[in-house]
Amino acid sequence: MTSRKIISVLLLFIGVLLSIIFMSKIEFPQGFDTYFKREYYSQFGPLAISIELLIAGYYLFKEHKRTNFTLALFGFTALFDTLFNQIGLFDSPMPLYGTIIFSICALLCLWLAFSNAFQLRSITILKTIFSVILGVLTELFFNYQL
């Protein structure tokens, strides 16, 4: 098994495990009107980040042409969650263990994306800017700011 596949399986495993954990913590409300409140949607933030990790790991495993973009998107989203929480922009619903695991994975994914470690399609400056913008928008959407 190559190092690319080992890393991708590790990312897939972490993504699936955290998706299951975060999905089990979602509280589904009673009543129809509660589904349209922002408080309901904020609990999906950690799940969205873990699904981004899952997709990035899958693309890395399949050597997809958009692998580096999805790795960068996950990396920026996970790091913005930590950064915005630390500077006090919002209180993230992400538990501490999720923050630590995602931060480590985010640094690895950003390094893989920008070093083009597996000679997949290089990430352009335009795609980098787009991944930063999408990461910020994802964080602001799930944390009441948008």
Side-chain angles (χ1 to χ4, degrees), residues 42-134:
S42 70
Q43 61 185 343
F44 287 94
L47 180 62
I49 296 173
S50 62
I51 289 173
E52 283 183 2
L53 177 61
L54 193 63
I55 293 169
Y58 175 75
Y59 276 8
L60 183 60
F61 188 81
K62 290 293 188 176
E63 293 183 281
H64 194 276
K65 64 182 179 178
R66 292 195 178 118
T67 299
N68 287 332
F69 173 75
T70 57
L71 289 169
L73 177 61
F74 162 73
F76 286 127
T77 305
L79 290 180
F80 282 138
D81 184 71
T82 304
L83 176 70
F84 292 162
N85 190 27
Q86 289 299 315
I87 64 172
L89 186 60
F90 56 75
D91 289 326
S92 176
M94 182 76 67
L96 181 60
Y97 65 87
T99 301
I100 293 169
I101 292 169
F102 281 149
S103 295
I104 293 168
C105 290
L107 293 173
L108 172 67
C109 288
L110 287 173
W111 176 76
L112 290 173
F114 291 111
S115 69
N116 197 17
F118 299 114
Q119 279 66 44
L120 302 170
R121 184 179 281 175
S122 294
I123 189 166
T124 64
I125 189 72
L126 186 61
K127 288 182 182 177
T128 301
I129 293 169
F130 191 58
S131 65
V132 168
I133 291 170
L134 278 176

Side-chain angles (χ1 to χ4, degrees), residues 11-55:
L11 294 177
L12 283 167
F13 176 74
I14 293 169
V16 167
L17 182 66
L18 290 177
S19 293
I20 292 169
I21 291 170
F22 295 144
M23 186 67 174
S24 69
K25 291 185 178 198
I26 292 176
E27 296 177 14
F28 294 97
Q30 300 293 326
F32 186 69
D33 61 332
T34 338
Y35 283 99
F36 297 104
K37 294 186 178 179
R38 292 297 256 166
E39 295 83 25
Y40 172 68
Y41 293 103
S42 70
Q43 61 185 343
F44 287 94
L47 180 62
I49 296 173
S50 62
I51 289 173
E52 283 183 2
L53 177 61
L54 193 63
I55 293 169

